[in-house]
Amino acid sequence: AGNPMLNTAFGIAVPEIQVVVKGTSAMLLKSMQAYAGTSLQLEGRKLHKYAVRVCTDQLVLAGFKFRRTSFSMEEPKTCLRVPPRLGICSENMAIDFSVNSETPLHSATLLAECSELDPRVAPLCL
């Protein structure tokens, strides 16, 4: 299995931890309107992009370090670095942050199913 605590270039470039915020479109829209202080007319992918931006801003204010965004992808996400001073980990660690993304769940399910068929799969994938 991979180790997200290893401070390797690959571990920082391709995060092993994916944080996904889940919520209904109505709940996201209401939260984003409250944050913006105005009525927003967003739906679907635009709503998810806006929610990722807002949450990323809040995480950066809390001490996370911004690395990059992937908004051109089908599921928008942000890569953040978690510095040790936050007390979450003892070394730098990278995470991907997204809203209502299904890819991490599908990837984990696929890996689990393949690993049941052949235990050699997991070390090759991670």
Side-chain angles (χ1 to χ4, degrees), residues 5-116:
M5 300 309 291
L6 291 179
N7 195 12
T8 63
F10 187 73
I12 294 294
V14 181
E16 293 190 37
I17 296 178
Q18 304 208 12
V19 177
V20 180
V21 171
K22 296 293 247 180
T24 65
S25 293
M27 189 268 321
L28 283 175
L29 183 59
K30 184 177 179 182
S31 296
M32 295 303 105
Q33 287 175 338
Y35 177 81
T38 185
S39 178
L40 300 172
Q41 300 302 317
L42 299 172
E43 58 185 46
R45 191 166 184 280
K46 287 184 179 184
L47 176 59
H48 291 161
K49 283 174 68 172
Y50 187 73
V52 169
R53 283 189 180 112
V54 168
C55 292
T56 297
D57 289 346
Q58 295 302 306
L59 290 167
V60 168
L61 286 174
F64 288 72
K65 300 296 181 186
F66 174 81
R67 301 261 311 158
R68 67 182 170 276
T69 57
S70 298
F71 285 156
S72 61
M73 307 292 282
E74 188 173 322
E75 294 178 326
K77 67 181 177 180
T78 299
C79 181
L80 300 162
R81 186 172 55 83
V82 183
R85 66 180 174 77
L86 292 179
I88 298 170
C89 52
S90 59
E91 296 184 32
N92 285 319
M93 179 177 63
I95 63 168
D96 275 340
F97 176 84
S98 60
V99 174
N100 288 344
S101 178
E102 294 183 13
T103 301
L105 178 60
H106 290 196
S107 297
T109 302
L110 179 63
L111 179 60
E113 293 294 324
C114 290
S115 295
E116 280 189 33

Side-chain angles (χ1 to χ4, degrees), residues 1-2 10 111 114-115 118-126:
F10 187 73
L111 179 60
C114 290
S115 295
D118 188 340
R120 298 175 295 175
V121 170
L124 292 174
C125 294
L126 304 173

